[in-house]
Each structure stands twice: as C-alpha cells, then as structure tokens.
Amino acid sequence: VDTRETLHPLVATLAPREQRIIYMRFYENMTQAQIAERVGVSQMHVSRLLAKSLAQLRTGLDEPGV
C-alpha cells in the first residue's frame, strides 16, 4: 500500500500516453502486443516506452525523501 501511495504522484509525472500504457499493462493485464494494437504503435515501441517509464519510476522511488 505504501508503494502504491508513493507511486501515484510519480506516475502523474509521466506523459499521458505512458500513463495509459502503464495502466493497460499493470491494471488491465494486457500484453505488449495488445497495448500496441490499441495504441497504434509497434510492440517494440511499447516495450521501449514501458522500459523508459519504469526506469523513471524506479529513479523516483530511489530519491531521498520519497
């Protein structure tokens, strides 16, 4: 629960498209291929966007005071 509360403001710093992709992947349990089809990009692009977004979230979690 603490991590979810900490992640909420960090997710809000992501671009809307990245927020949507994170939501589809982790809350709707969609595969990268399914997300790609819905968003209209390649599965590889979804993979890159997820990696970038998750790295940004990890960095935010590692910052002191978060």
Side-chain angles (χ1 to χ4, degrees):
V1 172
D2 289 336
T3 304
R4 275 191 185 175
E5 293 301 317
T6 303
L7 277 174
H8 186 72
L10 294 173
V11 170
T13 67
L14 298 174
R17 180 170 70 170
E18 282 81 11
Q19 289 180 30
R20 184 174 173 216
I21 289 171
I22 292 284
Y23 182 83
M24 287 187 280
R25 180 70 184 105
F26 295 103
Y27 289 93
E28 295 182 359
N29 294 315
M30 294 175 69
T31 66
Q32 290 181 6
Q34 291 169 324
I35 295 167
E37 186 174 318
R38 184 173 294 175
V39 175
V41 298
S42 70
Q43 180 272 325
M44 182 58 72
H45 194 63
V46 170
S47 178
R48 289 182 187 124
L49 290 170
L50 278 170
K52 178 183 148 220
S53 298
L54 293 174
Q56 185 176 337
L57 294 175
R58 279 188 207 99
T59 299
L61 286 174
D62 289 340
E63 290 179 3
V66 176

